[in-house]
Amino acid sequence: MRKIIIAGNWKMNKGLDETRDFFQEVVSALRGVELGSIVPVVAPAYPFLAEALRESFGSDILVSAQEVSLNSDGAYTGEVSAAMLKSLNLPYCIIGHSERRQYHNESDANVQHKLLKLLAHGITPIVCIGETLAQRDANQTEAVVLAQLKGCLQDVPLKTGTEIIIAYEPVWAIGTGRTATPEQAQEVHALIRSWMMENYSGVVATNLSILYGGSVKPDNLALLLACEDIDGGLIGGASLKAEDFIEMVKIAREADLLIGLCQSGD
Ligand code: 13P
């Protein structure tokens, strides 16, 4: 059974006190709540990862980094390596976010390199892909998404499908309030899963969690999660409010229980 991941990408938001307050509120609200296959993940800024790990220790909330260096160690001012993240015991790291692609010229080859570095350190990469509005309008969505998948996963060995997470984030839906419709998102998620099936195996395709990102909020999460190939969300703005994040984790749990009921035929 695939994990349903509710991941908050805080981007460049929240300082030390806000990070601590958020984690205290979320840890306390979710204490004792049976989460089943739901995994809540939060990605704060680098300086506050250790504080987030301290505050979430012993809870179900996992912490992710937002980026990692291409390089292993040495004279790379401002960079943070996969080994450093591993020394914190971080389980996840986002790579290939469209903001990194746009503002830092991140290429699929860079993402592939980072992905291999993270895997080598036992950190699960959350690999972001997605088309721009111009590409969607030019009917290039499928070609763009498949090219990104191919580039990011070139020579990447996957056996179980749980080694990585893919996040489909259409660039036109990020921070715009304009979410992809569940049908639009499902179509691309199904495309990604069938590509994984063809290029890896049925096992990999079945176990792979594919998250949707782009203006996800408590109001639209349930409909997105009802789609067969949407296994959670990578959430920016709406993950900044503890209250909304808690609500989204609970919505995911309810959606999961409902799907379980339908599948067992009750
Ligand atoms: P928003 O949820 O603010 O649209 O951001 C999505 C995103 O970029 C998550 O990585």
Side-chain angles (χ1 to χ4, degrees), residues 7-9 11 94 97-99 128 167 169 173-177 213-217 234-239:
N9 173 12
K11 311 188 180 184
I94 298 167
H97 194 280
S98 65
E99 287 147 17
C128 302
E169 299 205 308
I174 296 177
T176 57
S215 298
V216 175
K217 49 186 187 241
L234 183 56
I235 306 152
S239 74

Coordinates of all heavy atoms in Angstrom, one line a residue, residues 7-9 11 94 97-99 128 167 169 173-177 213-217 234-239, ligand 1:
A7 N 3.0 16.9 2.7 CA 4.3 17.5 2.9 C 4.2 19.1 2.8 O 3.7 19.6 1.8 CB 5.4 17.0 1.9
G8 N 4.7 19.8 3.8 CA 4.7 21.2 3.8 C 6.1 21.7 3.3 O 7.1 21.3 3.9
N9 N 6.1 22.5 2.2 CA 7.4 23.1 1.8 C 7.3 24.6 2.2 O 6.6 25.4 1.6 CB 7.5 23.0 0.3 CG 8.7 23.7 -0.2 OD1 9.6 24.2 0.5 ND2 8.8 23.9 -1.6
K11 N 9.5 26.9 2.0 CA 10.3 27.8 1.2 C 11.0 28.8 2.1 O 11.4 28.3 3.2 CB 9.4 28.5 0.2 CG 8.5 27.5 -0.6 CD 7.7 28.1 -1.7 CE 6.9 27.0 -2.4 NZ 6.1 27.5 -3.5
I94 N 13.8 17.7 -0.6 CA 13.1 18.2 -1.9 C 14.3 18.5 -2.9 O 15.2 19.2 -2.5 CB 12.3 19.4 -1.6 CG1 11.1 19.1 -0.7 CG2 11.7 20.0 -2.9 CD1 10.4 20.3 -0.1
H97 N 12.8 21.7 -7.4 CA 11.6 22.6 -7.3 C 11.7 23.6 -8.4 O 12.8 24.1 -8.8 CB 11.6 23.2 -5.9 CG 10.2 23.9 -5.7 ND1 9.9 25.1 -6.2 CD2 9.2 23.4 -5.0 CE1 8.6 25.4 -5.9 NE2 8.2 24.4 -5.1
S98 N 10.5 24.0 -8.9 CA 10.5 24.9 -10.1 C 11.1 26.2 -9.7 O 11.7 26.9 -10.6 CB 9.1 25.1 -10.6 OG 8.3 25.7 -9.6
E99 N 11.1 26.6 -8.4 CA 11.7 27.9 -8.1 C 13.2 27.8 -8.2 O 13.9 28.7 -8.5 CB 11.3 28.3 -6.7 CG 9.8 28.8 -6.7 CD 9.1 28.5 -5.4 OE1 9.7 28.2 -4.4 OE2 7.8 28.6 -5.5
C128 N 10.8 17.1 -7.8 CA 9.7 18.0 -8.4 C 9.8 18.1 -9.9 O 10.9 18.4 -10.4 CB 9.7 19.4 -7.8 SG 9.6 19.4 -6.0
A167 N 7.0 14.6 -7.1 CA 6.0 15.6 -6.9 C 5.7 16.3 -8.2 O 6.6 16.9 -8.8 CB 6.4 16.7 -5.8
E169 N 4.2 19.3 -9.9 CA 3.8 20.6 -9.5 C 3.8 21.5 -10.8 O 4.8 22.0 -11.3 CB 4.9 21.3 -8.6 CG 5.0 20.5 -7.3 CD 5.5 21.5 -6.1 OE1 6.5 22.1 -6.3 OE2 4.9 21.5 -5.1
A173 N 0.4 26.6 -11.3 CA -0.5 26.4 -10.1 C 0.2 26.8 -8.8 O -0.4 26.8 -7.7 CB -1.0 25.0 -10.1
I174 N 1.5 27.1 -8.9 CA 2.3 27.3 -7.6 C 2.1 28.8 -7.2 O 2.4 29.7 -7.9 CB 3.8 27.0 -7.8 CG1 3.9 25.5 -8.1 CG2 4.6 27.4 -6.6 CD1 5.3 25.1 -8.4
G175 N 1.5 28.9 -6.0 CA 1.4 30.2 -5.4 C 0.4 31.1 -6.1 O 0.4 32.3 -5.8
T176 N -0.4 30.6 -7.0 CA -1.3 31.4 -7.8 C -2.7 31.3 -7.4 O -3.5 32.1 -7.8 CB -1.2 31.0 -9.3 OG1 -1.6 29.6 -9.3 CG2 0.2 31.1 -9.9
G177 N -3.0 30.4 -6.5 CA -4.4 30.1 -6.1 C -5.1 29.4 -7.2 O -6.3 29.0 -7.0
G213 N 1.4 19.2 -6.3 CA 1.6 20.5 -5.6 C 1.2 21.6 -6.5 O 1.3 21.6 -7.7
G214 N 0.7 22.7 -5.8 CA 0.2 23.8 -6.6 C -1.1 24.3 -6.0 O -2.2 23.8 -6.4
S215 N -1.1 25.2 -5.0 CA -2.3 25.8 -4.4 C -3.2 24.8 -3.8 O -4.4 24.9 -3.8 CB -3.1 26.6 -5.5 OG -2.3 27.7 -5.9
V216 N -2.6 23.8 -3.2 CA -3.3 22.8 -2.4 C -3.7 23.5 -1.0 O -2.9 24.2 -0.5 CB -2.5 21.5 -2.1 CG1 -3.3 20.6 -1.1 CG2 -2.2 20.8 -3.3
K217 N -4.9 23.3 -0.6 CA -5.4 23.8 0.7 C -6.4 22.9 1.3 O -6.9 22.0 0.6 CB -5.9 25.2 0.5 CG -6.8 25.4 -0.6 CD -7.2 26.9 -0.8 CE -8.3 27.1 -1.8 NZ -8.0 27.8 -3.0
L234 N 2.3 18.3 -2.0 CA 3.5 19.1 -1.6 C 2.9 20.5 -1.5 O 2.5 21.1 -2.6 CB 4.6 18.9 -2.6 CG 5.9 19.7 -2.3 CD1 6.4 19.3 -0.9 CD2 7.0 19.4 -3.3
I235 N 2.9 21.0 -0.3 CA 2.0 22.2 -0.1 C 2.9 23.4 0.4 O 3.6 23.2 1.4 CB 1.0 21.8 1.0 CG1 0.2 20.6 0.5 CG2 0.0 23.0 1.2 CD1 -0.4 19.8 1.6
G236 N 2.7 24.5 -0.3 CA 3.5 25.7 0.1 C 2.7 26.5 1.1 O 2.6 26.2 2.3
G237 N 2.0 27.6 0.6 CA 1.3 28.6 1.4 C 0.5 28.0 2.5 O 0.6 28.4 3.7
A238 N -0.4 27.0 2.2 CA -1.3 26.5 3.2 C -0.6 25.6 4.3 O -1.3 25.3 5.3 CB -2.4 25.7 2.5
S239 N 0.7 25.3 4.1 CA 1.3 24.5 5.1 C 1.9 25.4 6.2 O 2.5 24.9 7.2 CB 2.4 23.6 4.5 OG 3.6 24.5 4.1
Ligands
13P1 P1 1.7 26.7 -3.0 O1 1.0 25.6 -2.3 O2 1.9 27.9 -2.2 O3 1.1 26.9 -4.4 O4 3.2 26.1 -3.4 C1 3.3 24.8 -3.9 C2 4.8 24.5 -3.9 O5 5.6 25.1 -4.6 C3 5.2 23.4 -3.0 O6 6.5 23.0 -3.2

